[in-house]
mmCIF file with all atom_site columns, all heavy atoms in Angstrom:
data_model
loop_
_atom_site.group_PDB
_atom_site.id
_atom_site.type_symbol
_atom_site.label_atom_id
_atom_site.label_alt_id
_atom_site.label_comp_id
_atom_site.label_asym_id
_atom_site.label_entity_id
_atom_site.label_seq_id
_atom_site.pdbx_PDB_ins_code
_atom_site.Cartn_x
_atom_site.Cartn_y
_atom_site.Cartn_z
_atom_site.occupancy
_atom_site.B_iso_or_equiv
_atom_site.pdbx_formal_charge
_atom_site.auth_seq_id
_atom_site.auth_comp_id
_atom_site.auth_asym_id
_atom_site.auth_atom_id
_atom_site.pdbx_PDB_model_num
ATOM 1   N N   . VAL A 1 1  ? -16.372 25.524 -87.460 1.00 0.00 ? 13 VAL A N   1
ATOM 2   C CA  . VAL A 1 1  ? -15.606 26.105 -86.435 1.00 0.00 ? 13 VAL A CA  1
ATOM 3   C C   . VAL A 1 1  ? -16.431 27.376 -85.884 1.00 0.00 ? 13 VAL A C   1
ATOM 4   O O   . VAL A 1 1  ? -16.460 27.634 -84.754 1.00 0.00 ? 13 VAL A O   1
ATOM 5   C CB  . VAL A 1 1  ? -14.254 26.592 -87.009 1.00 0.00 ? 13 VAL A CB  1
ATOM 6   C CG1 . VAL A 1 1  ? -13.500 27.374 -85.938 1.00 0.00 ? 13 VAL A CG1 1
ATOM 7   C CG2 . VAL A 1 1  ? -13.424 25.243 -87.253 1.00 0.00 ? 13 VAL A CG2 1
ATOM 8   N N   . LYS A 1 2  ? -16.903 28.168 -86.847 1.00 0.00 ? 14 LYS A N   1
ATOM 9   C CA  . LYS A 1 2  ? -17.645 29.416 -86.485 1.00 0.00 ? 14 LYS A CA  1
ATOM 10  C C   . LYS A 1 2  ? -18.817 29.023 -85.517 1.00 0.00 ? 14 LYS A C   1
ATOM 11  O O   . LYS A 1 2  ? -19.042 29.682 -84.526 1.00 0.00 ? 14 LYS A O   1
ATOM 12  C CB  . LYS A 1 2  ? -18.180 30.128 -87.728 1.00 0.00 ? 14 LYS A CB  1
ATOM 13  C CG  . LYS A 1 2  ? -18.779 31.421 -87.404 1.00 0.00 ? 14 LYS A CG  1
ATOM 14  C CD  . LYS A 1 2  ? -19.120 32.161 -88.664 1.00 0.00 ? 14 LYS A CD  1
ATOM 15  C CE  . LYS A 1 2  ? -19.763 33.428 -88.475 1.00 0.00 ? 14 LYS A CE  1
ATOM 16  N NZ  . LYS A 1 2  ? -20.219 34.078 -89.735 1.00 0.00 ? 14 LYS A NZ  1
ATOM 17  N N   . TRP A 1 3  ? -19.590 27.932 -85.870 1.00 0.00 ? 15 TRP A N   1
ATOM 18  C CA  . TRP A 1 3  ? -20.647 27.491 -84.993 1.00 0.00 ? 15 TRP A CA  1
ATOM 19  C C   . TRP A 1 3  ? -20.133 27.194 -83.586 1.00 0.00 ? 15 TRP A C   1
ATOM 20  O O   . TRP A 1 3  ? -20.602 27.520 -82.499 1.00 0.00 ? 15 TRP A O   1
ATOM 21  C CB  . TRP A 1 3  ? -21.401 26.319 -85.664 1.00 0.00 ? 15 TRP A CB  1
ATOM 22  C CG  . TRP A 1 3  ? -22.391 25.710 -84.581 1.00 0.00 ? 15 TRP A CG  1
ATOM 23  C CD1 . TRP A 1 3  ? -23.689 26.083 -84.559 1.00 0.00 ? 15 TRP A CD1 1
ATOM 24  C CD2 . TRP A 1 3  ? -22.111 24.670 -83.653 1.00 0.00 ? 15 TRP A CD2 1
ATOM 25  N NE1 . TRP A 1 3  ? -24.326 25.310 -83.578 1.00 0.00 ? 15 TRP A NE1 1
ATOM 26  C CE2 . TRP A 1 3  ? -23.467 24.384 -83.023 1.00 0.00 ? 15 TRP A CE2 1
ATOM 27  C CE3 . TRP A 1 3  ? -21.104 23.917 -83.305 1.00 0.00 ? 15 TRP A CE3 1
ATOM 28  C CZ2 . TRP A 1 3  ? -23.559 23.548 -81.994 1.00 0.00 ? 15 TRP A CZ2 1
ATOM 29  C CZ3 . TRP A 1 3  ? -21.214 23.025 -82.191 1.00 0.00 ? 15 TRP A CZ3 1
ATOM 30  C CH2 . TRP A 1 3  ? -22.452 22.797 -81.635 1.00 0.00 ? 15 TRP A CH2 1
ATOM 31  N N   . PHE A 1 4  ? -19.038 26.497 -83.505 1.00 0.00 ? 16 PHE A N   1
ATOM 32  C CA  . PHE A 1 4  ? -18.450 25.944 -82.240 1.00 0.00 ? 16 PHE A CA  1
ATOM 33  C C   . PHE A 1 4  ? -18.032 27.173 -81.356 1.00 0.00 ? 16 PHE A C   1
ATOM 34  O O   . PHE A 1 4  ? -18.449 27.265 -80.099 1.00 0.00 ? 16 PHE A O   1
ATOM 35  C CB  . PHE A 1 4  ? -17.205 25.144 -82.501 1.00 0.00 ? 16 PHE A CB  1
ATOM 36  C CG  . PHE A 1 4  ? -16.607 24.525 -81.261 1.00 0.00 ? 16 PHE A CG  1
ATOM 37  C CD1 . PHE A 1 4  ? -17.142 23.469 -80.585 1.00 0.00 ? 16 PHE A CD1 1
ATOM 38  C CD2 . PHE A 1 4  ? -15.438 25.144 -80.821 1.00 0.00 ? 16 PHE A CD2 1
ATOM 39  C CE1 . PHE A 1 4  ? -16.507 22.980 -79.432 1.00 0.00 ? 16 PHE A CE1 1
ATOM 40  C CE2 . PHE A 1 4  ? -14.854 24.625 -79.596 1.00 0.00 ? 16 PHE A CE2 1
ATOM 41  C CZ  . PHE A 1 4  ? -15.428 23.579 -78.951 1.00 0.00 ? 16 PHE A CZ  1
ATOM 42  N N   . PHE A 1 5  ? -17.434 28.148 -81.927 1.00 0.00 ? 17 PHE A N   1
ATOM 43  C CA  . PHE A 1 5  ? -17.063 29.388 -81.249 1.00 0.00 ? 17 PHE A CA  1
ATOM 44  C C   . PHE A 1 5  ? -18.274 30.105 -80.744 1.00 0.00 ? 17 PHE A C   1
ATOM 45  O O   . PHE A 1 5  ? -18.240 30.785 -79.693 1.00 0.00 ? 17 PHE A O   1
ATOM 46  C CB  . PHE A 1 5  ? -16.162 30.242 -82.024 1.00 0.00 ? 17 PHE A CB  1
ATOM 47  C CG  . PHE A 1 5  ? -14.703 29.675 -82.071 1.00 0.00 ? 17 PHE A CG  1
ATOM 48  C CD1 . PHE A 1 5  ? -14.341 28.630 -82.789 1.00 0.00 ? 17 PHE A CD1 1
ATOM 49  C CD2 . PHE A 1 5  ? -13.715 30.407 -81.354 1.00 0.00 ? 17 PHE A CD2 1
ATOM 50  C CE1 . PHE A 1 5  ? -12.975 28.215 -82.743 1.00 0.00 ? 17 PHE A CE1 1
ATOM 51  C CE2 . PHE A 1 5  ? -12.325 29.961 -81.287 1.00 0.00 ? 17 PHE A CE2 1
ATOM 52  C CZ  . PHE A 1 5  ? -12.025 28.775 -82.013 1.00 0.00 ? 17 PHE A CZ  1
ATOM 53  N N   . GLN A 1 6  ? -19.381 30.135 -81.505 1.00 0.00 ? 18 GLN A N   1
ATOM 54  C CA  . GLN A 1 6  ? -20.490 30.830 -81.199 1.00 0.00 ? 18 GLN A CA  1
ATOM 55  C C   . GLN A 1 6  ? -21.211 30.224 -80.006 1.00 0.00 ? 18 GLN A C   1
ATOM 56  O O   . GLN A 1 6  ? -21.838 31.001 -79.215 1.00 0.00 ? 18 GLN A O   1
ATOM 57  C CB  . GLN A 1 6  ? -21.397 30.991 -82.400 1.00 0.00 ? 18 GLN A CB  1
ATOM 58  C CG  . GLN A 1 6  ? -22.708 31.697 -82.160 1.00 0.00 ? 18 GLN A CG  1
ATOM 59  C CD  . GLN A 1 6  ? -23.511 31.784 -83.488 1.00 0.00 ? 18 GLN A CD  1
ATOM 60  O OE1 . GLN A 1 6  ? -23.208 31.206 -84.496 1.00 0.00 ? 18 GLN A OE1 1
ATOM 61  N NE2 . GLN A 1 6  ? -24.592 32.354 -83.322 1.00 0.00 ? 18 GLN A NE2 1
ATOM 62  N N   . TYR A 1 7  ? -21.247 28.995 -79.910 1.00 0.00 ? 19 TYR A N   1
ATOM 63  C CA  . TYR A 1 7  ? -22.142 28.309 -78.899 1.00 0.00 ? 19 TYR A CA  1
ATOM 64  C C   . TYR A 1 7  ? -21.451 27.791 -77.591 1.00 0.00 ? 19 TYR A C   1
ATOM 65  O O   . TYR A 1 7  ? -22.033 27.280 -76.570 1.00 0.00 ? 19 TYR A O   1
ATOM 66  C CB  . TYR A 1 7  ? -22.942 27.183 -79.501 1.00 0.00 ? 19 TYR A CB  1
ATOM 67  C CG  . TYR A 1 7  ? -23.935 27.757 -80.468 1.00 0.00 ? 19 TYR A CG  1
ATOM 68  C CD1 . TYR A 1 7  ? -23.791 27.574 -81.744 1.00 0.00 ? 19 TYR A CD1 1
ATOM 69  C CD2 . TYR A 1 7  ? -25.169 28.418 -79.912 1.00 0.00 ? 19 TYR A CD2 1
ATOM 70  C CE1 . TYR A 1 7  ? -24.789 28.212 -82.655 1.00 0.00 ? 19 TYR A CE1 1
ATOM 71  C CE2 . TYR A 1 7  ? -26.018 28.896 -80.769 1.00 0.00 ? 19 TYR A CE2 1
ATOM 72  C CZ  . TYR A 1 7  ? -25.817 28.763 -82.120 1.00 0.00 ? 19 TYR A CZ  1
ATOM 73  O OH  . TYR A 1 7  ? -26.831 29.350 -82.946 1.00 0.00 ? 19 TYR A OH  1
ATOM 74  N N   . ILE A 1 8  ? -20.071 27.675 -77.656 1.00 0.00 ? 20 ILE A N   1
ATOM 75  C CA  . ILE A 1 8  ? -19.380 27.317 -76.395 1.00 0.00 ? 20 ILE A CA  1
ATOM 76  C C   . ILE A 1 8  ? -19.170 28.447 -75.458 1.00 0.00 ? 20 ILE A C   1
ATOM 77  O O   . ILE A 1 8  ? -18.697 29.517 -75.884 1.00 0.00 ? 20 ILE A O   1
ATOM 78  C CB  . ILE A 1 8  ? -17.980 26.626 -76.812 1.00 0.00 ? 20 ILE A CB  1
ATOM 79  C CG1 . ILE A 1 8  ? -18.205 25.437 -77.690 1.00 0.00 ? 20 ILE A CG1 1
ATOM 80  C CG2 . ILE A 1 8  ? -17.114 26.291 -75.693 1.00 0.00 ? 20 ILE A CG2 1
ATOM 81  C CD1 . ILE A 1 8  ? -18.989 24.275 -77.059 1.00 0.00 ? 20 ILE A CD1 1
ATOM 82  N N   . ASN A 1 9  ? -19.495 28.277 -74.231 1.00 0.00 ? 21 ASN A N   1
ATOM 83  C CA  . ASN A 1 9  ? -19.468 29.349 -73.302 1.00 0.00 ? 21 ASN A CA  1
ATOM 84  C C   . ASN A 1 9  ? -18.057 29.597 -72.739 1.00 0.00 ? 21 ASN A C   1
ATOM 85  O O   . ASN A 1 9  ? -17.834 30.756 -72.200 1.00 0.00 ? 21 ASN A O   1
ATOM 86  C CB  . ASN A 1 9  ? -20.543 29.185 -72.227 1.00 0.00 ? 21 ASN A CB  1
ATOM 87  C CG  . ASN A 1 9  ? -21.915 29.261 -72.677 1.00 0.00 ? 21 ASN A CG  1
ATOM 88  O OD1 . ASN A 1 9  ? -22.215 30.062 -73.598 1.00 0.00 ? 21 ASN A OD1 1
ATOM 89  N ND2 . ASN A 1 9  ? -22.802 28.435 -72.155 1.00 0.00 ? 21 ASN A ND2 1
ATOM 90  N N   . TRP A 1 10 ? -17.235 28.683 -72.628 1.00 0.00 ? 22 TRP A N   1
ATOM 91  C CA  . TRP A 1 10 ? -15.957 28.846 -72.037 1.00 0.00 ? 22 TRP A CA  1
ATOM 92  C C   . TRP A 1 10 ? -14.932 28.260 -72.905 1.00 0.00 ? 22 TRP A C   1
ATOM 93  O O   . TRP A 1 10 ? -14.997 26.972 -73.229 1.00 0.00 ? 22 TRP A O   1
ATOM 94  C CB  . TRP A 1 10 ? -15.885 28.271 -70.604 1.00 0.00 ? 22 TRP A CB  1
ATOM 95  C CG  . TRP A 1 10 ? -14.677 28.609 -69.904 1.00 0.00 ? 22 TRP A CG  1
ATOM 96  C CD1 . TRP A 1 10 ? -14.378 29.874 -69.314 1.00 0.00 ? 22 TRP A CD1 1
ATOM 97  C CD2 . TRP A 1 10 ? -13.492 27.735 -69.626 1.00 0.00 ? 22 TRP A CD2 1
ATOM 98  N NE1 . TRP A 1 10 ? -13.091 29.751 -68.732 1.00 0.00 ? 22 TRP A NE1 1
ATOM 99  C CE2 . TRP A 1 10 ? -12.636 28.520 -68.958 1.00 0.00 ? 22 TRP A CE2 1
ATOM 100 C CE3 . TRP A 1 10 ? -13.145 26.491 -70.028 1.00 0.00 ? 22 TRP A CE3 1
ATOM 101 C CZ2 . TRP A 1 10 ? -11.369 27.980 -68.516 1.00 0.00 ? 22 TRP A CZ2 1
ATOM 102 C CZ3 . TRP A 1 10 ? -12.046 25.895 -69.602 1.00 0.00 ? 22 TRP A CZ3 1
ATOM 103 C CH2 . TRP A 1 10 ? -11.088 26.753 -68.818 1.00 0.00 ? 22 TRP A CH2 1
ATOM 104 N N   . LEU A 1 11 ? -13.936 28.929 -73.516 1.00 0.00 ? 23 LEU A N   1
ATOM 105 C CA  . LEU A 1 11 ? -12.959 28.437 -74.389 1.00 0.00 ? 23 LEU A CA  1
ATOM 106 C C   . LEU A 1 11 ? -11.688 29.223 -74.290 1.00 0.00 ? 23 LEU A C   1
ATOM 107 O O   . LEU A 1 11 ? -11.722 30.365 -74.038 1.00 0.00 ? 23 LEU A O   1
ATOM 108 C CB  . LEU A 1 11 ? -13.622 28.615 -75.844 1.00 0.00 ? 23 LEU A CB  1
ATOM 109 C CG  . LEU A 1 11 ? -12.867 27.987 -76.940 1.00 0.00 ? 23 LEU A CG  1
ATOM 110 C CD1 . LEU A 1 11 ? -12.963 26.345 -76.827 1.00 0.00 ? 23 LEU A CD1 1
ATOM 111 C CD2 . LEU A 1 11 ? -13.641 28.467 -78.292 1.00 0.00 ? 23 LEU A CD2 1
ATOM 112 N N   . ILE A 1 12 ? -10.613 28.441 -74.506 1.00 0.00 ? 24 ILE A N   1
ATOM 113 C CA  . ILE A 1 12 ? -9.305  29.033 -74.492 1.00 0.00 ? 24 ILE A CA  1
ATOM 114 C C   . ILE A 1 12 ? -8.858  29.055 -76.013 1.00 0.00 ? 24 ILE A C   1
ATOM 115 O O   . ILE A 1 12 ? -8.858  27.900 -76.580 1.00 0.00 ? 24 ILE A O   1
ATOM 116 C CB  . ILE A 1 12 ? -8.281  28.308 -73.641 1.00 0.00 ? 24 ILE A CB  1
ATOM 117 C CG1 . ILE A 1 12 ? -8.800  28.386 -72.195 1.00 0.00 ? 24 ILE A CG1 1
ATOM 118 C CG2 . ILE A 1 12 ? -6.871  28.828 -73.779 1.00 0.00 ? 24 ILE A CG2 1
ATOM 119 C CD1 . ILE A 1 12 ? -7.946  27.628 -71.180 1.00 0.00 ? 24 ILE A CD1 1
ATOM 120 N N   . ILE A 1 13 ? -8.396  30.116 -76.502 1.00 0.00 ? 25 ILE A N   1
ATOM 121 C CA  . ILE A 1 13 ? -7.933  30.219 -77.922 1.00 0.00 ? 25 ILE A CA  1
ATOM 122 C C   . ILE A 1 13 ? -6.484  30.571 -77.805 1.00 0.00 ? 25 ILE A C   1
ATOM 123 O O   . ILE A 1 13 ? -5.990  31.487 -77.254 1.00 0.00 ? 25 ILE A O   1
ATOM 124 C CB  . ILE A 1 13 ? -8.687  31.205 -78.714 1.00 0.00 ? 25 ILE A CB  1
ATOM 125 C CG1 . ILE A 1 13 ? -10.088 30.939 -78.808 1.00 0.00 ? 25 ILE A CG1 1
ATOM 126 C CG2 . ILE A 1 13 ? -8.055  31.363 -80.174 1.00 0.00 ? 25 ILE A CG2 1
ATOM 127 C CD1 . ILE A 1 13 ? -10.933 31.959 -79.356 1.00 0.00 ? 25 ILE A CD1 1
ATOM 128 N N   . ILE A 1 14 ? -5.606  29.675 -78.405 1.00 0.00 ? 26 ILE A N   1
ATOM 129 C CA  . ILE A 1 14 ? -4.128  29.937 -78.394 1.00 0.00 ? 26 ILE A CA  1
ATOM 130 C C   . ILE A 1 14 ? -3.778  30.163 -79.831 1.00 0.00 ? 26 ILE A C   1
ATOM 131 O O   . ILE A 1 14 ? -3.806  29.370 -80.723 1.00 0.00 ? 26 ILE A O   1
ATOM 132 C CB  . ILE A 1 14 ? -3.458  28.725 -77.787 1.00 0.00 ? 26 ILE A CB  1
ATOM 133 C CG1 . ILE A 1 14 ? -3.858  28.478 -76.314 1.00 0.00 ? 26 ILE A CG1 1
ATOM 134 C CG2 . ILE A 1 14 ? -1.869  28.941 -77.872 1.00 0.00 ? 26 ILE A CG2 1
ATOM 135 C CD1 . ILE A 1 14 ? -3.362  27.189 -75.722 1.00 0.00 ? 26 ILE A CD1 1
ATOM 136 N N   . ASN A 1 15 ? -3.220  31.308 -80.043 1.00 0.00 ? 27 ASN A N   1
ATOM 137 C CA  . ASN A 1 15 ? -2.863  31.838 -81.364 1.00 0.00 ? 27 ASN A CA  1
ATOM 138 C C   . ASN A 1 15 ? -1.373  31.271 -81.586 1.00 0.00 ? 27 ASN A C   1
ATOM 139 O O   . ASN A 1 15 ? -0.482  31.262 -80.846 1.00 0.00 ? 27 ASN A O   1
ATOM 140 C CB  . ASN A 1 15 ? -2.809  33.199 -81.486 1.00 0.00 ? 27 ASN A CB  1
ATOM 141 C CG  . ASN A 1 15 ? -4.213  33.917 -81.233 1.00 0.00 ? 27 ASN A CG  1
ATOM 142 O OD1 . ASN A 1 15 ? -5.197  33.351 -81.798 1.00 0.00 ? 27 ASN A OD1 1
ATOM 143 N ND2 . ASN A 1 15 ? -4.272  34.851 -80.412 1.00 0.00 ? 27 ASN A ND2 1
ATOM 144 N N   . GLY A 1 16 ? -1.136  30.860 -82.880 1.00 0.00 ? 28 GLY A N   1
ATOM 145 C CA  . GLY A 1 16 ? 0.137   30.482 -83.287 1.00 0.00 ? 28 GLY A CA  1
ATOM 146 C C   . GLY A 1 16 ? 0.403   31.012 -84.736 1.00 0.00 ? 28 GLY A C   1
ATOM 147 O O   . GLY A 1 16 ? 0.496   32.217 -84.866 1.00 0.00 ? 28 GLY A O   1
ATOM 148 N N   . ASN A 1 17 ? 0.487   30.085 -85.581 1.00 0.00 ? 29 ASN A N   1
ATOM 149 C CA  . ASN A 1 17 ? 0.748   30.552 -86.996 1.00 0.00 ? 29 ASN A CA  1
ATOM 150 C C   . ASN A 1 17 ? -0.496  30.608 -87.823 1.00 0.00 ? 29 ASN A C   1
ATOM 151 O O   . ASN A 1 17 ? -0.517  30.443 -89.011 1.00 0.00 ? 29 ASN A O   1
ATOM 152 C CB  . ASN A 1 17 ? 1.831   29.687 -87.719 1.00 0.00 ? 29 ASN A CB  1
ATOM 153 C CG  . ASN A 1 17 ? 1.299   28.250 -87.761 1.00 0.00 ? 29 ASN A CG  1
ATOM 154 O OD1 . ASN A 1 17 ? 0.490   27.736 -86.938 1.00 0.00 ? 29 ASN A OD1 1
ATOM 155 N ND2 . ASN A 1 17 ? 1.999   27.474 -88.630 1.00 0.00 ? 29 ASN A ND2 1
ATOM 156 N N   . HIS A 1 18 ? -1.727  30.715 -87.147 1.00 0.00 ? 30 HIS A N   1
ATOM 157 C CA  . HIS A 1 18 ? -3.067  30.655 -87.796 1.00 0.00 ? 30 HIS A CA  1
ATOM 158 C C   . HIS A 1 18 ? -3.223  31.804 -88.791 1.00 0.00 ? 30 HIS A C   1
ATOM 159 O O   . HIS A 1 18 ? -3.975  31.627 -89.743 1.00 0.00 ? 30 HIS A O   1
ATOM 160 C CB  . HIS A 1 18 ? -4.163  30.675 -86.831 1.00 0.00 ? 30 HIS A CB  1
ATOM 161 C CG  . HIS A 1 18 ? -4.013  29.627 -85.647 1.00 0.00 ? 30 HIS A CG  1
ATOM 162 N ND1 . HIS A 1 18 ? -4.244  28.367 -85.888 1.00 0.00 ? 30 HIS A ND1 1
ATOM 163 C CD2 . HIS A 1 18 ? -3.694  29.857 -84.393 1.00 0.00 ? 30 HIS A CD2 1
ATOM 164 C CE1 . HIS A 1 18 ? -4.016  27.739 -84.693 1.00 0.00 ? 30 HIS A CE1 1
ATOM 165 N NE2 . HIS A 1 18 ? -3.685  28.588 -83.840 1.00 0.00 ? 30 HIS A NE2 1
ATOM 166 N N   . TYR A 1 19 ? -2.463  32.891 -88.569 1.00 0.00 ? 31 TYR A N   1
ATOM 167 C CA  . TYR A 1 19 ? -2.720  33.962 -89.448 1.00 0.00 ? 31 TYR A CA  1
ATOM 168 C C   . TYR A 1 19 ? -2.318  33.649 -90.895 1.00 0.00 ? 31 TYR A C   1
ATOM 169 O O   . TYR A 1 19 ? -2.781  34.368 -91.792 1.00 0.00 ? 31 TYR A O   1
ATOM 170 C CB  . TYR A 1 19 ? -1.846  35.207 -88.979 1.00 0.00 ? 31 TYR A CB  1
ATOM 171 C CG  . TYR A 1 19 ? -0.373  34.886 -88.969 1.00 0.00 ? 31 TYR A CG  1
ATOM 172 C CD1 . TYR A 1 19 ? 0.330   35.143 -90.168 1.00 0.00 ? 31 TYR A CD1 1
ATOM 173 C CD2 . TYR A 1 19 ? 0.299   34.349 -87.904 1.00 0.00 ? 31 TYR A CD2 1
ATOM 174 C CE1 . TYR A 1 19 ? 1.785   34.901 -90.173 1.00 0.00 ? 31 TYR A CE1 1
ATOM 175 C CE2 . TYR A 1 19 ? 1.625   34.052 -87.989 1.00 0.00 ? 31 TYR A CE2 1
ATOM 176 C CZ  . TYR A 1 19 ? 2.384   34.322 -89.087 1.00 0.00 ? 31 TYR A CZ  1
ATOM 177 O OH  . TYR A 1 19 ? 3.681   34.068 -89.186 1.00 0.00 ? 31 TYR A OH  1
#
Side-chain angles (χ1 to χ4, degrees):
V13 171
K14 187 175 177 182
W15 173 89
F16 182 78
F17 279 74
Q18 182 179 356
Y19 291 105
I20 298 299
N21 291 324
W22 189 76
L23 189 66
I24 297 170
I25 300 169
I26 300 171
N27 303 312
N29 60 342
H30 308 289
Y31 65 89

